[in-house]
PDB file of all heavy atoms in Angstrom:
ATOM      1  N   ASN Q 287     -13.255 -94.161 114.393  1.00 70.00           N
ATOM      2  CA  ASN Q 287     -12.732 -95.522 114.588  1.00 70.00           C
ATOM      3  C   ASN Q 287     -13.436 -96.525 113.685  1.00 70.00           C
ATOM      4  O   ASN Q 287     -12.810 -97.341 113.012  1.00 70.00           O
ATOM      5  CB  ASN Q 287     -12.916 -95.968 116.047  1.00 70.00           C
ATOM      6  CG  ASN Q 287     -11.888 -95.289 116.932  1.00 70.00           C
ATOM      7  OD1 ASN Q 287     -10.904 -94.755 116.418  1.00 70.00           O
ATOM      8  ND2 ASN Q 287     -12.135 -95.290 118.229  1.00 70.00           N
ATOM      9  N   LEU Q 406     -19.531 -72.327  91.235  1.00 95.00           N
ATOM     10  CA  LEU Q 406     -20.168 -71.212  90.517  1.00 95.00           C
ATOM     11  C   LEU Q 406     -21.600 -71.002  90.962  1.00 95.00           C
ATOM     12  O   LEU Q 406     -22.070 -69.884  91.119  1.00 95.00           O
ATOM     13  CB  LEU Q 406     -20.152 -71.479  88.999  1.00 95.00           C
ATOM     14  CG  LEU Q 406     -18.772 -71.640  88.361  1.00 95.00           C
ATOM     15  CD1 LEU Q 406     -18.916 -72.023  86.897  1.00 95.00           C
ATOM     16  CD2 LEU Q 406     -18.001 -70.326  88.477  1.00 95.00           C
ATOM     17  N   ASN Q 451     -29.005-118.483  91.604  1.00 88.00           N
ATOM     18  CA  ASN Q 451     -29.044-119.688  92.437  1.00 88.00           C
ATOM     19  C   ASN Q 451     -29.235-119.266  93.901  1.00 88.00           C
ATOM     20  O   ASN Q 451     -29.102-118.084  94.226  1.00 88.00           O
ATOM     21  CB  ASN Q 451     -27.799-120.558  92.200  1.00 88.00           C
ATOM     22  CG  ASN Q 451     -26.526-119.915  92.716  1.00 88.00           C
ATOM     23  OD1 ASN Q 451     -26.538-119.239  93.752  1.00 88.00           O
ATOM     24  ND2 ASN Q 451     -25.447-120.104  92.012  1.00 88.00           N
ATOM     25  N   GLU Q 541      -7.240-141.636  77.053  1.00 87.00           N
ATOM     26  CA  GLU Q 541      -6.181-142.612  76.804  1.00 87.00           C
ATOM     27  C   GLU Q 541      -4.906-142.195  77.557  1.00 87.00           C
ATOM     28  O   GLU Q 541      -4.296-143.001  78.263  1.00 87.00           O
ATOM     29  CB  GLU Q 541      -5.918-142.607  75.303  1.00 87.00           C
ATOM     30  CG  GLU Q 541      -5.247-143.822  74.755  1.00 87.00           C
ATOM     31  CD  GLU Q 541      -5.031-143.593  73.263  1.00 87.00           C
ATOM     32  OE1 GLU Q 541      -6.035-143.488  72.540  1.00 87.00           O
ATOM     33  OE2 GLU Q 541      -3.866-143.468  72.851  1.00 87.00           O
ATOM     34  N   GLY Q 583     -10.962-114.069  72.729  1.00 93.00           N
ATOM     35  CA  GLY Q 583     -10.070-112.935  72.550  1.00 93.00           C
ATOM     36  C   GLY Q 583     -10.760-111.770  71.868  1.00 93.00           C
ATOM     37  O   GLY Q 583     -11.930-111.854  71.492  1.00 93.00           O
ATOM     38  N   GLU Q 619     -11.104-123.552  65.290  1.00 87.00           N
ATOM     39  CA  GLU Q 619     -11.309-122.104  65.225  1.00 87.00           C
ATOM     40  C   GLU Q 619     -12.668-121.823  64.598  1.00 87.00           C
ATOM     41  O   GLU Q 619     -13.123-122.562  63.731  1.00 87.00           O
ATOM     42  CB  GLU Q 619     -10.222-121.567  64.311  1.00 87.00           C
ATOM     43  CG  GLU Q 619      -9.844-120.153  64.569  1.00 87.00           C
ATOM     44  CD  GLU Q 619      -8.685-119.825  63.643  1.00 87.00           C
ATOM     45  OE1 GLU Q 619      -7.552-120.194  63.983  1.00 87.00           O
ATOM     46  OE2 GLU Q 619      -8.946-119.260  62.569  1.00 87.00           O
ATOM     47  N   ALA Q 629     -26.020-116.564  73.407  1.00 87.00           N
ATOM     48  CA  ALA Q 629     -24.887-117.200  74.098  1.00 87.00           C
ATOM     49  C   ALA Q 629     -25.048-118.715  74.154  1.00 87.00           C
ATOM     50  O   ALA Q 629     -24.091-119.463  74.021  1.00 87.00           O
ATOM     51  CB  ALA Q 629     -24.777-116.625  75.499  1.00 87.00           C
ATOM     52  N   ASP Q 821     -28.227-156.204  58.042  1.00 94.00           N
ATOM     53  CA  ASP Q 821     -27.179-155.507  57.273  1.00 94.00           C
ATOM     54  C   ASP Q 821     -25.937-156.366  57.011  1.00 94.00           C
ATOM     55  O   ASP Q 821     -24.811-155.856  57.066  1.00 94.00           O
ATOM     56  CB  ASP Q 821     -26.739-154.213  58.001  1.00 94.00           C
ATOM     57  CG  ASP Q 821     -27.894-153.263  58.198  1.00 94.00           C
ATOM     58  OD1 ASP Q 821     -28.912-153.439  57.510  1.00 94.00           O
ATOM     59  OD2 ASP Q 821     -27.778-152.350  59.029  1.00 94.00           O
ATOM     60  N   MET Q 844     -28.473-153.630  51.736  1.00 96.00           N
ATOM     61  CA  MET Q 844     -28.838-153.151  50.388  1.00 96.00           C
ATOM     62  C   MET Q 844     -27.608-152.804  49.542  1.00 96.00           C
ATOM     63  O   MET Q 844     -27.671-152.879  48.324  1.00 96.00           O
ATOM     64  CB  MET Q 844     -29.827-152.000  50.458  1.00 96.00           C
ATOM     65  CG  MET Q 844     -29.407-150.806  51.233  1.00 96.00           C
ATOM     66  SD  MET Q 844     -30.775-149.633  51.293  1.00 96.00           S
ATOM     67  CE  MET Q 844     -31.552-150.058  52.813  1.00 96.00           C
ATOM     68  N   LEU Q 857     -20.678-163.667  43.311  1.00 93.00           N
ATOM     69  CA  LEU Q 857     -20.481-163.492  44.751  1.00 93.00           C
ATOM     70  C   LEU Q 857     -21.792-163.583  45.541  1.00 93.00           C
ATOM     71  O   LEU Q 857     -21.908-164.378  46.484  1.00 93.00           O
ATOM     72  CB  LEU Q 857     -19.803-162.137  44.992  1.00 93.00           C
ATOM     73  CG  LEU Q 857     -18.903-162.078  46.217  1.00 93.00           C
ATOM     74  CD1 LEU Q 857     -17.770-163.082  46.108  1.00 93.00           C
ATOM     75  CD2 LEU Q 857     -18.338-160.664  46.368  1.00 93.00           C
ATOM     76  N   VAL Q 909     -51.766-151.217  57.378  1.00 96.00           N
ATOM     77  CA  VAL Q 909     -52.887-152.161  57.408  1.00 96.00           C
ATOM     78  C   VAL Q 909     -53.731-152.001  56.141  1.00 96.00           C
ATOM     79  O   VAL Q 909     -54.130-152.988  55.501  1.00 96.00           O
ATOM     80  CB  VAL Q 909     -53.737-151.944  58.684  1.00 96.00           C
ATOM     81  CG1 VAL Q 909     -54.987-152.799  58.652  1.00 96.00           C
ATOM     82  CG2 VAL Q 909     -52.905-152.260  59.920  1.00 96.00           C
TER      83      VAL Q 909
END
Side-chain angles (χ1 to χ4, degrees):
N287 284 344
L406 300 175
N451 69 36
E541 201 182 295
E619 206 176 279
D821 301 343
M844 57 185 94
L857 210 60
V909 173

